[in-house]
Amino acid sequence: MIAEIQEKTISSAPSLITEVEALEILEGKVPLLSVVARATEERNRYFTNRVRIHILDNIKNGYCPEDCGYCAQRKGGDSGIQEYSLKSPEEIWEDAKRAKDNGAYRFCMVTSGRGPTDKAVDKLAETISKINGELGMKVCLSAGILDAKKARVLKDAGLDRYNHNLNTSESKYNEICSTHTFKDRLTTLEAAKEADIGLCSGIIVGMGEELKDLVQVAFELKRLGVISIPVNFFIPIKGHAIQKSSLTPEFCIRVLSVFRLVNPDSEIRIGAGREGHLGSLQSMALFVANSLFAEGYLNVKGSEMVQTMNLIRDCSMVPEFTEGVPEGWDDYESQALYDEKNFPELYKHKK
């Protein structure tokens, strides 16, 4: 079993590129393989050949008063998603156990809504404490806007990370949401940081933003010392209300590389949309990012765990489990084209 890497709660390594250099990478002025090689060097420096697998659990879905244009749960979205109230602590614990058994490094609990009430925070704290105590599993919570008092309750319960994505730049924010502001999001992140909770905050790429918006978010996350950065690629399903951008696999790799080079010691996670937007370059993305989601996203299906494990194995990398990497982790079904059993079906011209 490989010893666990000690995690930090704040990013401290300086950025390796300037805003001008980041923009040049996104504009395609720097050869892709040169960019990837540099980003890979930094990825390996801080995370070796490990990959952290996160599994999301929607513990409350829909009934949201916010109008975030990128979200299927938004007010008036009419997306057809199933709506349900906050799951019981027992249900969430079972979900966490299942996630750990399936190989998740961190269990990510997500609730819809503007932010949790005091009562909801107490309930979530109880659940977090139980998951930590009985499963020994790292927990990330995404529950909306938070103040300092609520952040402290969650920290005392053992919360490992708090997720609150910036999603886009401050100048672009009022185009994607009107019910809260970019400043509200910064205030929440600062409250969690003050409580010594590791920050998880990222971006959604492909919402009609300009390249400078992506660069601004990368450097704002660096300023905040965000240690975990999910880079999501917009999935234009029913219920969304924003302009979408055309994304290519190469551009997605460039975005991931910029976030790595601006935040070299942060966990860079390939978020939503990797299957559709990265396509055949998913493997290349893992040489830049050191983390990904399995078993789907907030309201959209994604790769199953067996596919995710095979992707990691094909890159000669290993998954970073909560308690190290156990022997036999890669005993997943291999879909090898050249297995002997497949030979009869490989002939192009049969007798």
Side-chain angles (χ1 to χ4, degrees):
M1 184 175 288
I2 300 175
E4 182 182 358
I5 293 176
Q6 184 64 39
E7 279 197 271
K8 301 189 299 182
T9 60
I10 189 167
S11 169
S12 57
S15 297
L16 301 173
I17 54 175
T18 65
E19 292 189 20
V20 172
E21 290 171 324
L23 196 58
E24 289 176 344
I25 290 172
L26 295 179
E27 289 172 339
K29 294 180 178 178
V30 184
L32 179 64
L33 292 184
S34 297
V35 174
V36 171
R38 191 175 179 190
T40 299
E41 183 179 355
E42 296 308 313
R43 181 231 192 277
N44 291 342
R45 183 192 310 277
Y46 294 100
F47 302 99
T48 65
N49 68 333
R50 299 180 181 213
V51 180
R52 294 175 181 173
I53 303 172
H54 294 239
I55 291 182
L56 282 171
D57 185 19
N58 275 27
I59 60 175
K60 178 185 176 185
N61 210 43
Y63 303 120
C64 190
E66 305 298 292
D67 69 353
C68 308
Y70 51 82
C71 184
Q73 301 184 65
R74 71 184 184 89
K75 177 178 64 178
D78 189 29
S79 62
I81 62 167
Q82 179 185 3
E83 298 175 323
Y84 51 84
S85 300
L86 187 65
K87 292 181 179 180
S88 69
E90 293 75 23
E91 288 177 297
I92 299 171
W93 187 88
E94 287 295 336
D95 290 344
K97 184 177 184 303
R98 191 177 307 111
K100 181 177 181 179
D101 291 343
N102 283 338
Y105 176 81
R106 183 172 281 110
F107 182 61
C108 306
M109 304 190 301
V110 185
T111 76
S112 60
R114 181 176 180 82
T117 63
D118 289 339
K119 183 178 180 181
V121 166
D122 289 340
K123 194 173 182 180
L124 289 167
E126 175 188 343
T127 304
I128 292 166
S129 180
K130 183 176 181 180
I131 292 172
N132 279 335
E134 297 184 17
L135 295 178
M137 194 175 192
K138 298 179 184 298
V139 178
C140 179
L141 174 66
S142 179
I145 294 173
L146 209 63
D147 60 28
K149 178 184 175 182
K150 292 173 181 176
R152 175 50 59 184
V153 171
L154 294 170
K155 172 63 178 180
D156 290 344
L159 183 65
D160 180 53
R161 295 275 186 271
Y162 193 78
N163 168 260
H164 203 55
N165 292 331
L166 292 183
N167 291 320
T168 194
S169 69
E170 184 172 13
S171 60
K172 175 77 175 175
Y173 203 83
N174 63 358
E175 297 180 30
I176 66 170
C177 182
S178 68
T179 49
H180 64 264
T181 66
F182 187 84
K183 185 177 180 180
D184 290 330
R185 290 192 168 259
L186 287 180
T187 300
T188 292
L189 290 171
E190 288 162 356
K193 184 177 180 179
E194 184 66 25
D196 197 29
I197 298 173
L199 300 184
C200 174
S201 184
I203 190 168
I204 304 174
V205 183
M207 298 193 294
E209 70 280 340
E210 297 181 27
L211 297 182
K212 66 178 182 179
D213 294 306
L214 303 178
V215 174
Q216 287 172 11
V217 173
F219 279 91
E220 183 65 16
L221 296 173
K222 177 75 263 182
R223 183 189 71 80
L224 291 165
V226 174
I227 197 65
S228 180
I229 302 177
V231 179
N232 301 287
F233 302 101
F234 182 60
I235 304 174
I237 60 173
K238 181 182 178 183
H240 293 154
I242 58 174
Q243 176 187 353
K244 66 175 181 176
S245 302
S246 177
L247 299 176
T248 66
E250 180 193 1
F251 180 72
C252 293
I253 297 290
R254 289 181 178 275
V255 172
L256 288 166
S257 297
V258 163
F259 276 80
R260 167 62 69 205
L261 294 171
V262 175
N263 305 274
D265 61 340
S266 295
E267 177 181 345
I268 304 297
R269 182 154 56 263
I270 314 171
R274 70 174 166 90
E275 295 87 352
H277 290 302
L278 280 162
S280 60
L281 293 191
Q282 287 184 67
S283 296
M284 182 181 286
L286 268 189
F287 286 89
V288 175
N290 65 295
S291 172
L292 41 63
F293 286 112
E295 304 289 349
Y297 307 104
L298 202 58
N299 282 289
V300 180
K301 294 179 179 179
S303 297
E304 296 179 357
M305 185 59 75
V306 62
Q307 296 168 309
T308 302
M309 288 294 193
N310 281 328
L311 173 65
I312 293 170
R313 180 175 56 192
D314 289 349
C315 294
S316 295
M317 297 180 184
V318 295
E320 187 177 357
F321 289 81
T322 303
E323 298 170 347
V325 182
E327 293 182 4
W329 72 269
D330 56 351
D331 289 339
Y332 281 81
E333 180 183 355
S334 177
Q335 300 174 357
L337 178 63
Y338 300 129
D339 282 346
E340 185 175 354
K341 64 182 179 181
N342 294 331
F343 286 174
E345 302 302 321
L346 292 178
Y347 293 116
K348 185 176 179 180
H349 303 290
K350 295 182 180 181
K351 290 183 178 180

